[in-house]
Amino acid sequence: MSCRYTITAEAAAGAKARIRTALKLMGFNSIRIEEAIIDESSTFKESKPDNLPTSNLAKSVATLFHRQPDKPWADLEIAAFKAAIKGGMDESAMIEVMAFYDRERKKADHYCRTSILTFLRNFGGELDKARADKPRVGKALEWTPANVVPMTDPEQAGRIAEAAREAARKFRESQGR
């Protein structure tokens, strides 16, 4: 049983023989390569002039990655930006992520995304990391267990300590130690 594959590739002029040899080495039989001259202007798609970031959110993303405001975005970046907005990206979430990146970039072993495209495609994960790493302030630092009673009676403290040692000994014996 044989299958027919169609491969479209762009290579330098004169690469036809090398491609044929490589395909034969991979086990392909009856190789037919059609050569077509491609106009250079049709292969390279330039960004449209209206691909400049206009919203404050897009400008803050560009600023986070040190991109110049007059540099246009690629079509994929714009599509990823729109998808990120649909996925919950807003000004407050972006502020959280920007603060996280500011803290992370000061560390020697930081891991921050370097591409706007991957950042936008994974914005939910970046927001989760930012929220998990948020420094605690206020009441969170003052937390103490509610049922702690200060020990004023030394005899009671001794009984509690002895009971804890006995419980630990029984546990070790039950585990075969």
Side-chain angles (χ1 to χ4, degrees), residues 128-156:
D128 289 343
K129 286 195 299 188
R131 288 181 175 162
D133 188 62
K134 190 179 286 188
R136 295 183 179 173
V137 294
K139 294 286 184 184
L141 295 176
E142 301 170 8
W143 179 83
T144 55
N147 60 353
V148 172
V149 178
M151 288 283 174
T152 56
D153 185 15
E155 289 180 19
Q156 184 181 9

Side-chain angles (χ1 to χ4, degrees), residues 41-109:
S41 64
S42 66
T43 60
F44 179 71
K45 293 184 180 178
E46 295 184 14
S47 298
K48 298 172 190 164
D50 61 345
N51 281 3
L52 294 174
T54 55
S55 70
N56 289 335
L57 190 57
K59 288 177 183 177
S60 63
V61 171
T63 303
L64 181 64
F65 287 93
H66 310 293
R67 184 176 284 191
Q68 297 298 323
D70 58 344
K71 183 175 181 188
W73 285 27
D75 292 335
L76 284 174
E77 291 172 336
I78 292 172
F81 179 73
K82 290 177 181 178
I85 288 175
K86 287 181 183 176
M89 181 181 197
D90 60 359
E91 291 285 338
S92 63
M94 191 61 200
I95 289 170
E96 288 182 66
V97 173
M98 288 175 76
F100 169 70
Y101 267 56
D102 286 342
R103 287 190 308 270
E104 278 295 303
R105 285 179 176 160
K106 291 176 185 173
K107 298 178 183 175
D109 61 340

